[in-house]
Amino acid sequence: MKISKLILAGAITTSTLLAHGFWLNSFEATSHGSKLVTVGIGTGHNPTIEDSVSDRVKLKSFDLITPEGKAIALKKPLKGLKDIYDKDSLKIVDSNLAMQKISFGKESEKGTYTASLATQTGTFIKYLDKNDKTRFTTKSKDEIRNLKKILSTIKNTVYAKTYFVNKSWTQPKAVGHELELIPTNDISKLYIGDTITFNVLYKGKPLESGYVTAKSALNKGDNALFSNVRKGKAKFVLTNFGQWMFTVNNKKDQDEVTISDTASATINIQ
């Protein structure tokens, strides 16, 4: 059975710094004769429009990358939004997902476009207070009151991408993230049972070891699938329609601090 539409979306799963996962969604439409793609940020626990972006999330970059490599700045989520309604156990707020429409005309550049974002690096500290209680904070060490002992420190950065094809597939290039998942086969022409392949890069070079996880949003109760990273390569077989989330994490210990980079991708098969 042919997959009529496949969108590869960068995703960020739940990290130690964020209570929710963090990713990019893209939604494609051609019903009016021209190609429209709506790009927006996703957050929550599943790769859908599930929640709204918290003010605590700080982005370092959020861009649309053309097939030729030109970076166009995209609109970031708003800050300090007020409640629309909050009475009788009913609360209404703006859906702060930085949704924006990309329209392709007849003369638009052909190829694979990439929307990508990177968060600012956050610090997460686990420590004992002077009463020997274990506590957690995103504050710096100097800002912690009642500190007895630092148990662990993690510096975490999350990355997200979404890829979509205008007319014909071209191989997307690395955008310079510390950790990247890049598809290497035509995501606009896949069938159930086909294999999707990725380059897994760390600092621009093939990640030597690790693993990528894949989980179907249609089968949340199922165990995740795993693919070992071998010389910067990973692959999965597409077994059903719906959304799939792929995630890779790379950790390095450096001067008693764990450096944690997370990047992932969500495939929407429609």
Side-chain angles (χ1 to χ4, degrees):
M1 183 180 297
K2 186 175 181 178
I3 297 172
S4 60
K5 182 170 68 172
L6 178 77
I7 302 174
L8 182 67
I12 298 299
T13 57
T14 304
S15 71
T16 53
L17 294 181
L18 301 172
H20 289 69
F22 196 60
W23 61 87
L24 279 175
N25 286 318
S26 58
F27 307 97
E28 185 176 351
T30 56
S31 55
H32 295 286
S34 60
K35 186 181 184 69
L36 303 176
V37 177
T38 300
V39 172
I41 295 172
T43 183
H45 299 284
N46 296 295
T48 58
I49 297 178
E50 187 177 84
D51 206 342
S52 192
V53 178
S54 168
D55 278 358
R56 293 178 297 169
V57 175
K58 297 180 180 180
L59 298 186
K60 182 178 180 180
S61 63
F62 185 19
D63 300 295
L64 176 69
I65 311 298
T66 69
E68 289 185 350
K70 179 182 178 181
I72 303 169
L74 294 175
K75 178 183 177 181
K76 295 180 181 180
L78 301 175
K79 300 292 183 180
L81 295 178
K82 296 181 179 179
D83 295 344
I84 296 171
Y85 183 90
D86 190 3
K87 294 180 181 179
D88 304 321
S89 297
L90 177 65
K91 188 172 183 178
I92 303 173
V93 297
D94 282 313
S95 184
N96 191 26
L97 299 177
M99 300 288 283
Q100 44 213 293
K101 183 177 70 175
I102 301 168
S103 301
F104 293 90
K106 292 181 179 181
E107 304 302 322
S108 295
E109 183 183 350
K110 298 178 182 178
T112 304
Y113 288 74
T114 307
S116 68
L117 64 77
T119 67
Q120 293 184 17
T121 301
T123 301
F124 182 80
I125 296 176
K126 179 181 179 181
Y127 68 97
L128 287 179
D129 66 16
K130 292 181 179 179
N131 295 318
D132 288 326
K133 290 185 177 180
T134 302
R135 298 186 180 277
F136 304 88
T137 185
T138 56
K139 295 179 179 180
S140 66
K141 179 180 178 180
D142 295 338
E143 296 176 306
I144 301 175
R145 298 180 181 180
N146 203 28
L147 173 65
K148 179 179 180 179
K149 182 181 179 180
I150 298 291
L151 300 177
S152 63
T153 302
I154 297 176
K155 289 186 178 294
N156 180 261
T157 311
V158 291
Y159 304 97
K161 290 183 182 179
T162 178
Y163 301 92
F164 40 91
V165 176
N166 181 38
K167 297 181 181 178
S168 59
W169 159 266
T170 54
Q171 175 61 50
K173 299 178 181 179
V175 300
H177 290 168
E178 289 286 289
L179 187 65
E180 301 192 50
L181 275 173
I182 305 172
T184 58
N185 53 334
D186 188 345
I187 60 172
S188 67
K189 295 179 180 179
L190 286 175
Y191 296 79
I192 290 176
D194 284 350
T195 298
I196 184 166
T197 57
F198 296 94
N199 282 336
V200 188
L201 303 182
Y202 179 64
K203 294 187 176 181
K205 298 181 179 180
L207 183 67
E208 288 299 321
S209 62
Y211 61 89
V212 180
T213 62
K215 189 169 179 60
S216 171
L218 294 180
N219 301 296
K220 300 180 182 66
D222 289 351
N223 293 326
L225 303 177
F226 295 85
S227 173
N228 290 326
V229 177
R230 293 185 174 90
K231 296 182 179 180
K233 305 289 185 180
K235 61 182 180 180
F236 291 90
V237 175
L238 298 172
T239 58
N240 57 267
F241 287 103
Q243 294 180 319
W244 286 82
M245 179 177 286
F246 299 86
T247 305
V248 61
N249 178 259
N250 189 54
K251 293 182 179 181
K252 301 287 184 182
D253 292 327
Q254 179 179 316
D255 299 328
E256 299 183 350
V257 175
T258 298
I259 308 299
S260 177
D261 294 309
T262 305
S264 45
T266 301
I267 295 175
N268 300 284
I269 304 170
Q270 300 178 0

